[in-house]
Amino acid sequence: MTYITRLTTAAGALLACAGLLAAAPAQAAPRATLPLTDNWLYLTVTPGKTAPAGNKHGTLLLCDPVPLGYARAGEACAELAAVDGDIARIPQRKVFCPMIFAPVTVHAHGRWNGRPVDYRETYSNKCTMEARTGAVFAVGR
């Protein structure tokens, strides 16, 4: 068998396999599932006093078994663990924030130690938000 004959035979076999694959019914890809964890929050940070209708863009913070979600996830999970997931109880940091009015609305919903979490608040600016909520909503850093 010459080189060209072998190449032609191999190409024909590949085309036949491709034809069979194309004729086979499509299988649904397995759906991705979240790891089983009791400590997770879906976080949104929106400029303005209210979130626009239909705004579903946010960040998922997972704290078990290891912190995942964004750069400061480890710090955020530690702060949440210290207050048993109650964002309103995070100790306020002593920082000087500019008196610039640029409101930001935050929302967290999820579960912490098996209990539902639903936190929504509007702050006068991002500095005030971080002083009050620590690293929880520092999703862009």
Side-chain angles (χ1 to χ4, degrees):
M1 210 183 245
T2 66
Y3 174 74
I4 294 183
T5 306
R6 278 188 252 163
L7 186 61
T8 305
T9 304
L14 284 174
L15 286 173
C17 287
L20 288 174
L21 289 175
Q27 297 286 329
R31 201 169 170 186
T33 58
L34 292 175
L36 296 176
T37 177
D38 281 338
N39 299 334
W40 64 272
L41 296 175
Y42 186 73
L43 308 167
T44 58
V45 179
T46 309
K49 291 184 179 184
T50 59
N55 181 17
K56 303 293 182 199
H57 196 78
T59 300
L60 181 64
L61 171 64
L62 298 172
C63 291
D64 286 330
V66 294
L68 297 171
Y70 53 96
R72 294 177 65 187
E75 186 181 348
C77 290
E79 291 172 346
L80 287 164
V83 296
D84 197 29
D86 186 355
I87 298 169
R89 289 182 31 219
I90 293 175
Q92 185 167 344
R93 295 179 179 174
K94 295 180 182 178
V95 297
F96 292 102
C97 290
M99 293 184 68
I100 297 172
F101 186 69
V104 60
T105 299
V106 297
H107 183 220
H109 72 275
R111 298 193 69 76
W112 195 268
N113 291 334
R115 290 185 315 275
V117 172
D118 190 28
Y119 178 86
R120 184 183 311 263
E121 190 67 50
T122 299
Y123 296 96
S124 59
N125 56 46
K126 283 187 177 185
C127 179
T128 304
M129 173 200 70
E130 278 199 36
R132 188 63 195 92
T133 63
V136 175
F137 292 100
V139 296
R141 298 185 186 157

